Structure formats: structure tokens, C-alpha cells
Amino acid sequence: MTTSPQKIFNPTALEKARQRSLRRQARKGVSFLYLRAAEDAASRLEDINRRFSRVVLIGNLDGRDLVKAALREDRQPEKFEYVADVSQLSGDYDLILSLLDLQSDDAIPDTLTHARQHLRADGMMLFAFLGGETLTELRQSLYATDQQILGGATARVFPMVDYSQAAMLLGRTGLALPVVDTDRINVGYSHLSNLIEDLRDLGLTNVLTARDTRPLNRTWLAALHANYAQHFGREDGKVKATLEIIWMTGWAPHESQQKPLKPGSAKMRLSDALGSKETKL
């Protein structure tokens, strides 16, 4: 009898965090980070000389209005749908979009494969998620505080996909013209609690299956604030935080797309093109 692998995220805790995130953003407004991703997605789509006919946004937050508001009239999708989960996709789309949701996914390869199956020929997949450089300062401060107060580290921060891992995952989907790029954001917070509030807005509180469920006492919290301020304080009195958005783009193969030249088909040697002298070893 085989057993299913343990999930990285506790499903109950994850769902509670997501619902709390929706309530907070409905009350306070959408997170600045999600808004940045929505506007960046629109900018990327405007660079493509095409108006997509059937588009779907996947994710916990329905951010279609934010994307549409940043798009020119001639780039507005003819039909723009929304689903909360990739399993709810129906039929074929010529654009599948996901914003800041994949970092909470237990099975990223399966999600990408499933999305790929719903792309029309020459359809585009555009996914943005928080990458491995995100919250590097907080990770280090949490580790130092756990060592100092508890005598050892505990699981507190999401394991996140880095640039090279994203490239590998995208390469496995079978999409044509794959591209991975990153957007790194350096933010200054007047207090560490403001960073924690932003993480709650995005549903990024600790929902790991292996998390330590003991309540945090004042001694631990004071040590965390002290460690963060000591190592990552700025001259203006704020503390710094790094946020990284990784973008993955790929197209369902189609005969109209550019094809790489076959090896040996070049009509000019590289040394001739560069005007340099070729040296034989």
C-alpha cells in the first residue's frame, strides 16, 4: 500500500489564511504587491501585438479589474474569466494568467501541466509568483531568533522556487519560446510589524504542515525585532525587505512561431560576423 507524500502546506490553515487575506484586502484595498503584478502583467500583454479572445485568471484573488484597468482599449480581452483553482479550468484559452498564487501550491509541476493542457495552439501562459529571494532578511532573522531563544530552527517561511528552478519547471511543460525573468523590489518599513501586516494581506502567514504551533511569547518577539533591526536596519531608521516576483512565460507550440536554426545551417562563421581572427586549438 502506497502513501501520499506529506503536503508542504496544511490545507486547513492555508484555506483560513486565504479567506482572511480576501477579507483584509476587501476592507483595506488590494496589496501593493498584487497591484504591481497586475500592472506588470498588463504592460507585458501590451507589448504583444495581439488581442486575446478568451483569457482566464487563476488565483485566490479575482484581480481582473486591476489588469483590465491597466490595459489599453485595443488590448482588452474579448472574454476575461476567473477561476480560483487550476482544476476549475474548462475548455481552451489563448491566455492563462496567474498572479502571486503559485508560491502556495503543493504541486507546481502538476499545476503547470494542467494549465498547459487548456492552452489553444499559439496560446500563452503567463504566471507570476514570489521567488526564492523573497524575505531573505526575515528568514535570516527568524533563524537567528529561533537559535537564540529556542536553541534550534523551526519551519516558519514558505520554501520558494528560485530562478533556476523556475526555468527547469517551465522547460518541462513543453511550451515553446519559454522565458523566465525576475522583478526584485526593495521595500523600507518603518516597523517590522508593517511587513507582517503586508504578509497577512497576501495570505502568506505560516501555514506549513511542519510549523511549530506553540504560541510566540514576548521574549521571542522582542528578540526577532532586535535581530531584524540590528542586521537589516537602514540609515533612515526603517528596516529593509526584499521581495522578488518571478515571471514565467511560454506559448503552446504552433507552426507560425519562430523556429531555431538547425545546427550547421549558419551561412557565416561567428568569427567573420564579429570581425575577429579565428584561432585553432
Side-chain angles (χ1 to χ4, degrees):
M1 181 178 178
T2 59
T3 57
S4 300
Q6 186 182 43
K7 290 183 174 295
I8 298 172
F9 305 106
N10 179 284
T12 302
L14 179 59
E15 181 59 23
K16 287 182 178 178
R18 285 176 166 173
Q19 292 303 317
R20 184 166 55 244
S21 165
L22 292 175
R23 292 194 298 270
R24 290 174 66 92
Q25 293 190 80
R27 184 177 70 252
K28 299 168 52 180
V30 174
S31 162
F32 80 94
L33 199 59
Y34 190 96
L35 181 59
R36 183 185 181 108
E39 292 176 344
D40 197 353
S43 176
R44 290 164 184 264
L45 294 177
E46 288 193 343
D47 288 338
I48 300 169
N49 187 25
R50 177 173 171 180
R51 183 179 184 182
F52 294 96
S53 58
R54 190 184 184 204
V55 178
V56 62
L57 172 65
I58 309 170
N60 186 51
L61 178 66
D62 182 356
R64 288 176 294 175
D65 288 344
L66 298 175
V67 177
K68 286 162 55 176
L71 277 174
R72 300 197 310 264
E73 182 65 30
D74 64 340
R75 292 293 188 272
Q76 294 289 333
E78 295 177 23
K79 188 176 184 181
F80 201 167
E81 303 172 27
Y82 164 75
V83 295
D85 187 83
V86 70
S87 64
Q88 299 171 356
L89 294 175
S90 176
D92 295 330
Y93 307 86
D94 54 357
L95 173 61
I96 298 178
L97 179 65
S98 174
L99 300 177
L100 304 190
D101 204 67
L102 209 59
Q103 69 274 346
S104 304
D105 196 320
D106 258 319
I108 294 177
D110 293 342
T111 296
L112 295 176
T113 298
H114 192 86
R116 163 72 181 88
Q117 293 169 349
H118 286 272
L119 271 182
R120 296 171 180 167
D122 203 31
M124 179 184 178
M125 189 161 71
L126 181 60
F127 277 44
F129 56 95
L130 296 178
E133 294 298 317
T134 297
L135 303 179
T136 180
E137 300 88 358
L138 180 59
R139 293 169 190 267
Q140 294 177 56
S141 300
L142 288 169
Y143 178 83
T145 302
D146 278 346
Q147 292 284 1
Q148 176 185 339
I149 304 299
L150 303 179
T154 65
R156 298 193 186 279
V157 183
F158 286 18
M160 293 182 181
V161 173
D162 62 23
Y163 179 90
S164 60
Q165 291 168 330
M168 180 185 66
L169 288 167
L170 184 59
R172 289 178 177 177
T173 63
L175 291 171
L177 309 174
V179 176
V180 176
D181 63 280
T182 65
D183 174 23
R184 183 175 294 187
I185 308 139
N186 296 310
V187 184
Y189 286 95
S190 58
H191 198 272
L192 179 57
S193 60
N194 299 126
L195 167 59
I196 295 172
E197 288 295 301
D198 277 349
L199 298 181
R200 288 172 177 162
D201 288 346
L202 289 166
L204 296 179
T205 49
N206 190 354
V207 295
L208 297 173
T209 299
R211 71 194 186 282
D212 188 341
T213 57
R214 290 176 294 178
L216 301 176
N217 58 39
R218 292 182 179 179
T219 301
W220 187 94
L221 289 171
L224 174 64
H225 284 261
N227 282 323
Y228 204 112
Q230 177 183 352
H231 297 289
F232 304 107
R234 304 195 319 187
E235 292 183 357
D236 60 2
K238 296 182 178 181
V239 293
K240 62 181 180 180
T242 300
L243 301 167
E244 180 188 40
I245 300 177
I246 293 182
W247 289 88
M248 295 196 305
T249 308
W251 297 79
H254 188 265
E255 59 184 12
S256 66
Q257 294 166 353
Q258 273 189 313
K259 303 291 191 302
L261 294 174
K262 294 180 180 180
S265 62
K267 297 181 179 180
M268 179 182 290
R269 294 183 304 173
L270 179 61
S271 58
D272 293 338
L274 297 176
S276 59
K277 184 177 180 180
E278 184 177 8
T279 302
K280 294 185 178 180
L281 300 177

